Amino acid sequence: MNPSSEKFLFDLLHTPSPSGMEEAIQRKWLDYIKPYADKLQTDTAGNAMASLQPDAPFQVLLAGHCDEIGFLVKSIDEKGYVYVEKLGGISHKPALGMKVDILGTHKRITGVIGAKAEHHGGAKDSFGFSDLFIDCGASSKKELENYIAVGDTAVYKREPEQLLNNRISGRGLDNRTGAFIVAETLRRLRQHTLQVGVTAVSTVNEETNMGGAYFAGAGLSPSLGIAVDVTFATDYPGANTDKTADVTLDGGPVLAKGAPINRKANRLLENAAKDKEILLQYELTPKHTGTDADQLRKTAKGVPISVVSLPLRYMHAPVETASLKDIDQTIDLLTAFLTNLNGSEDLRPVRLD
């Protein structure tokens, strides 16, 4: 990965983007991709879109969601302690003792999630999300209301870091890595002659309602939609391998297989991987994918979909961990796949003679 691309990735990971509050990260995404796109667009959902050859008859939409899980301020008590609601699939279990950034209506402030001292009994074994509270140092509700309000969002105050062997860790790799991958794919495609149109979309709201994907698909009516997301790695102690396929970091991009997936598109992805000697891994999506693809599929007259995922350890924890090698290979795969398309592909599973 070249230094400017890596800098862009870490810039995205540094930028808070809780679901429903993605404006700041979208501006950075658009600024980066602007020199490489034929057309830029936004929409009323908050999506950011960059296209190459937007008038080509065959159009491919690459969706990588930029939002992350977080907290939603529910109430402030009279002593100035903050209580929160889930924003997406966030767990209370890693939260104790963590720092948070509250993106306040009036000012961004830091708080800590209180943890009862072991000397006084420690946390209850059965504690739940409603037991969490944030201490911002305020002495009263009135003081804290100068900074924040009910409905404000918060994320863990956790910066991305590089680990050994080209691994990275931090909060919200799900799925700001996907937003990065679709942008980088478009940047690389700029150097190639394409027979199809490609629109990279940094989608919003995937962690809460997938509304961004619906707006993008409905607005663009693509010939094919590919969701670029993360999936569960199983290569760490205690990982649940009973319900998922075996997926490892550095094992390469992961293709979904199941009823929602267009098998012809998957075969073309597999051919591109073989040509570039990229190893693939697989996950099963029997009923639905749990990604933006589920909404893309139902837009316009119906959109054939595939899902290409990045292996990720510790999903929805503040220390999500992925491999830069896998990120690069996912971009290589998508670039090869899209440059191989000639625009006459028929993705119907059954054709009339």
Side-chain angles (χ1 to χ4, degrees):
M1 188 178 297
N2 67 51
S4 64
S5 298
E6 188 170 314
K7 180 179 182 298
F8 173 53
L9 171 60
F10 275 80
D11 195 18
L12 294 181
L13 294 175
H14 275 285
T15 306
S17 56
S19 194
M21 292 288 293
E22 301 97 343
E23 292 90 339
I25 201 168
Q26 295 292 52
R27 291 189 188 98
K28 292 182 178 183
W29 192 91
L30 288 165
D31 285 346
Y32 179 80
I33 202 63
K34 183 177 181 179
Y36 311 107
D38 293 332
K39 182 180 180 180
L40 295 180
Q41 300 176 73
T42 59
D43 63 22
T44 53
N47 293 315
M49 295 168 270
S51 301
L52 290 174
Q53 301 196 163
D55 298 322
F58 193 102
Q59 291 288 326
V60 182
L61 188 160
L62 303 178
H65 75 85
C66 69
D67 63 312
E68 59 177 310
I69 59 172
F71 305 91
L72 199 62
V73 174
K74 179 172 63 176
S75 64
I76 305 168
D77 71 14
E78 292 303 320
K79 293 183 178 180
Y81 293 105
V82 180
Y83 293 85
V84 290
E85 183 58 81
K86 291 184 179 184
L87 189 63
I90 195 165
S91 172
H92 58 284
K93 292 180 180 178
L96 294 182
M98 292 292 292
K99 295 185 291 185
V100 295
D101 270 329
I102 302 179
L103 310 178
T105 298
H106 308 295
K107 188 176 181 181
R108 177 172 166 176
I109 62 172
T110 298
V112 296
I113 297 177
K116 188 177 180 182
E118 284 298 312
H119 311 69
H120 294 165
K124 298 183 296 183
D125 289 338
S126 59
F127 85 99
F129 203 90
S130 61
D131 295 311
L132 299 179
F133 63 88
I134 300 173
D135 183 351
C136 299
S139 58
S140 67
K141 178 179 182 178
K142 184 177 180 180
E143 180 188 5
L144 199 52
E145 285 178 334
N146 291 318
Y147 302 95
I148 68 173
V150 170
D152 286 346
T153 56
V155 295
Y156 287 120
K157 193 177 178 71
R158 172 79 170 84
E159 300 303 331
E161 298 177 86
Q162 285 204 252
L163 307 180
L164 296 175
N165 296 312
N166 255 352
R167 277 84 186 272
I168 58 173
S169 181
R171 64 158 223 283
L173 272 66
D174 176 11
N175 182 39
R176 292 173 300 172
T177 54
F180 168 77
I181 288 168
V182 300
E184 278 299 290
T185 299
L186 195 87
R187 185 186 69 80
R188 292 192 194 179
L189 288 172
R190 189 70 186 182
Q191 305 166 17
H192 297 267
T193 300
L194 291 173
Q195 305 301 314
V196 299
V198 179
T199 298
V201 187
S202 178
T203 58
V204 297
N205 292 185
E206 192 272 353
E207 296 291 357
T208 50
N209 56 63
M210 297 188 187
Y214 184 85
F215 272 68
L220 295 170
S221 298
S223 310
L224 170 66
I226 300 179
V228 182
D229 212 311
V230 295
T231 194
F232 301 96
T234 59
D235 59 348
Y236 62 91
N240 186 351
T241 57
D242 294 335
K243 295 182 179 180
T244 61
D246 187 27
V247 172
T248 66
L249 264 62
D250 296 329
V254 183
L255 291 190
K257 286 188 172 184
I261 303 299
N262 185 276
R263 286 180 292 169
K264 286 191 171 182
N266 260 19
R267 281 198 291 272
L268 293 170
L269 284 161
E270 288 170 329
N271 291 341
K274 185 177 180 180
D275 289 345
K276 293 295 181 180
E277 299 183 338
I278 297 171
L279 293 177
L280 293 177
Q281 306 181 83
Y282 294 93
E283 64 174 333
L284 301 181
T285 57
K287 296 181 180 179
H288 52 80
T289 73
T291 72
D292 275 341
D294 293 331
Q295 287 297 329
L296 286 174
R297 187 169 181 256
K298 300 175 184 177
T299 58
K301 295 180 180 179
V303 177
I305 56 102
S306 287
V307 178
V308 179
S309 294
L310 177 72
L312 187 75
R313 292 176 183 166
Y314 324 127
M315 184 89 69
H316 284 193
V319 290
E320 292 177 336
T321 300
S323 162
L324 289 174
K325 177 183 176 182
D326 288 331
I327 291 174
D328 260 332
Q329 290 197 331
T330 302
I331 298 166
D332 289 342
L333 170 64
L334 292 169
T335 303
F337 165 76
L338 291 162
T339 53
N340 287 347
L341 295 179
N342 60 32
S344 63
E345 287 78 10
D346 187 344
L347 298 178
R348 291 176 296 176
V350 179
R351 296 172 59 182
L352 296 175
D353 294 330

